[in-house]
Amino acid sequence: MKLGETLVKSGLINEEQLKRVLLNQQKSNERLGEIVLRMGFATAEQMAPILAKYFDIPYVNVKQIYKNIKPEVIDSLPLELAQRFTILPIEFKKERLVVAMSDPLDFIAIDTVQLKISRRILPSLAIENEINDAIEYCYHHLPRLKESVENFVDTSFDAKEEAEGASQQQFDASDKPVVQYVKSLISQAVNSHASDILIDPKEDNVELRFRVDGFLHQVDPPPKPMLGAINARIKILSGLDIAERRLPQDGRFKVKIGKSDIDIRTSTFPTIYGESVVLRLLDTAQPMLGLGQLGFEKNDLEKFRSLLSEPYGLILVTGPTGSGKTTTLYTCLNEIKTASKNICTLEDPVEYRLPFIKQSQVNQMIGFTFSRGLRSLLRQDPDVIMVGEIRDKETAEISIHAALTGHLVLSTLHTNDAVGAPIRLINMGIEPYLIASSLLGIVAQRLVRVNCPDCSRTYDRQSGNWEALPFSSEIERFSKGAGCPKCLQSGYKGRQGIFEVLVPDEEVLNCIMSRGTSDAIRFIAQKKGMKSLHEAGIEKLRAGVTSPEEILRVTQRRREI
């Protein structure tokens, strides 16, 4: 039976689809299975078992076994060969090595590997993406390195040197286990979707943590005697002074993990037990989100888009540190950028590179501050200006005057809600009439963790203690992640924004002019239809996006029950 007939008989495709595939094959000369996948008639997960049975080759579900593959099996096949031919070693069978391949009929790859490792191999069929993920994990995952790192420490460490306080200097940053450990540390953080790596020395050990979706998770740390060499290796990569341990330092470097280019910002800080190191990870290969993907409700999204279409004025994004303000600003610039607009930014630091945009980074050490840079930027004939943050009166005044003189200015401000922004500017010393004349709109935001799609469960409001929650009467059913390996047992995977959009009308502007309180501004704005952060959170809850605990955590709305 031909492969196409087999696919039809198995129910994967129908006769009409097979005809289209065969017609396509005559033009492209591709393999039939590749065309089926490309045309979207089936997924790799559906097709792989059928292909394995057809060619009489074992099928392996790599996702179920790769974390249990023994280190000696992985070490039998060099990483270069594994990546070159997309081959994952699985186990030994007598003198032969069982491997998973995306193309078990690639006899050139089989012969090359057998010649290089001097061992016969038994091919099995597996899905290509799963093999690549498994290769990244098996060759770079920290637990796999732990034994070799500890053995390195045990054989190199001298107890007498430890007593004399030389334990931090005895390992060299170029020692192979140190280099491999740092590479694997970054690789594991990227695979865990971590935004930061925190390495903190303690009196007798090291604390290693990843920040995932805004929360810190502990990871198996390296041995304390090796910390000095690890820090030195990170400093070398970051272009920092490895001899300086008494002063804080900042640097950056880039690494390639799989197909992703990771931009890493390094910060070192001296503590009483040694240097603390924090690495901020930015995946520059990640596509920029659109405004519609950030989490805006439909009406708020329309309001915000209308603000961005204005030719001049001031738009502020507010919220605490880590609430996603910079991401929102980048998304705005990405949405409005064109070759016909001169868009300039002043940031601290520049996190993502955007085409058609002139980006600059402030440098406090040489006196290149936001206010000084903004003055010079106005002489660059900008149409749109993004100021990373309004921190002082001078920067606020220049930003407002730029907005009044024909520029669209976007910036951030540290306030808890949208209505607090005008009050903050007034407290900085800005005249209310200037604020009212320049202000187009204010967006306050928070990030809520999204329920893990693999372990999310739906409950009614009588379940557990949720009946006692402040909004239990507003929603009949809640969703919440139960916790699984894919979400690190947290029940959440990824984050999404909730937003409070204030577009001031004449009544709100008059309230600002008369130095009204934030409560007064809020009363008027909500009367005119502004949805609060709490109300936006309720909509996410109603849609099953997040859990009640997350809404309470980020909106701090705890009323008496």
Side-chain angles (χ1 to χ4, degrees), residues 119-134:
R119 185 191 291 269
R120 288 192 62 192
I121 68 172
L122 291 175
S124 302
L125 179 66
I127 298 170
E128 184 176 3
N129 290 340
E130 293 182 3
I131 295 176
N132 286 327
D133 291 342

Side-chain angles (χ1 to χ4, degrees), residues 53-326:
K53 186 176 181 180
Y54 180 81
F55 290 111
D56 196 22
I57 297 172
Y59 167 70
V60 178
N61 189 331
V62 171
K63 288 197 295 188
Q64 294 181 354
I65 64 167
Y66 73 97
K67 291 188 178 181
N68 299 319
I69 300 175
K70 296 180 180 178
E72 58 266 25
V73 175
I74 297 297
D75 293 336
S76 67
L77 183 67
L79 175 61
E80 185 271 333
L81 288 177
Q83 292 177 330
R84 178 181 169 189
F85 296 116
T86 316
I87 295 179
L88 178 71
I90 296 175
E91 62 177 342
F92 293 125
K93 274 193 177 179
K94 296 181 180 179
E95 296 300 317
R96 294 180 292 183
L97 176 64
V98 179
V99 299
M101 301 177 64
S102 59
D103 185 5
L105 302 181
D106 187 349
F107 299 112
I108 294 177
I110 293 173
D111 291 342
T112 303
V113 171
Q114 288 182 152
L115 185 63
K116 291 283 187 181
I117 68 174
S118 301
R119 185 191 291 269
R120 288 192 62 192
I121 68 172
L122 291 175
S124 302
L125 179 66
I127 298 170
E128 184 176 3
N129 290 340
E130 293 182 3
I131 295 176
N132 286 327
D133 291 342
I135 288 172
E136 197 65 46
Y137 178 92
C138 292
Y139 284 89
H140 296 135
H141 200 56
L142 291 182
R144 195 185 99 74
L145 283 177
K146 190 176 181 183
E147 184 177 346
S148 63
V149 169
E150 289 177 344
N151 289 338
F152 175 74
V153 173
D154 291 340
T155 55
S156 304
F157 187 73
D158 186 287
K160 185 177 179 180
E161 288 180 342
E162 182 183 21
E164 295 173 353
S167 61
Q168 294 297 318
Q169 288 79 37
Q170 64 182 319
F171 302 114
D172 192 88
S174 62
D175 287 332
K176 186 177 179 181
V178 175
V179 174
Q180 194 175 9
Y181 185 87
V182 172
K183 180 180 178 182
S184 300
L185 176 66
I186 296 169
S187 179
Q188 182 178 345
V190 170
N191 291 335
S192 300
H193 304 288
S195 60
D196 301 86
I197 302 172
L198 286 74
I199 308 173
D200 296 316
K202 303 301 179 184
E203 185 173 6
D204 300 316
N205 62 340
V206 178
E207 189 172 65
L208 177 62
R209 292 173 291 175
F210 292 166
R211 187 176 293 279
V212 181
D213 294 335
F215 279 73
L216 291 173
H217 299 268
Q218 287 195 331
V219 183
D220 287 342
K224 179 72 180 284
M226 205 174 182
L227 180 61
I230 292 172
N231 287 353
R233 174 63 182 168
I234 293 172
K235 285 183 175 182
I236 290 171
L237 292 171
S238 308
L240 303 180
D241 184 358
I242 63 173
E244 180 56 73
R245 299 186 182 91
R246 301 166 299 170
L247 295 173
Q249 297 187 71
D250 295 307
R252 68 190 310 159
F253 62 99
K254 285 187 176 182
V255 296
K256 191 173 184 68
I257 304 294
K259 297 181 180 179
S260 299
D261 291 314
I262 309 299
D263 193 359
I264 300 178
R265 297 207 312 265
T266 306
S267 172
T268 69
F269 192 83
T271 72
I272 58 173
Y273 297 121
E275 280 186 295
S276 171
V277 176
V278 175
L279 304 177
R280 169 64 57 88
L281 311 177
L282 296 169
D283 187 351
T284 56
Q286 285 284 354
M288 186 68 67
L289 296 175
L291 279 177
Q293 297 171 286
L294 294 182
F296 281 96
E297 297 298 321
K298 184 178 179 180
N299 290 340
D300 288 340
L301 181 60
E302 291 174 358
K303 289 180 187 177
F304 194 44
R305 279 209 165 106
S306 69
L307 296 180
L308 294 174
S309 66
E310 294 290 337
Y312 60 88
L314 177 64
I315 300 174
L316 294 174
V317 180
T318 75
T321 301
S323 59
K325 300 187 298 296
T326 303

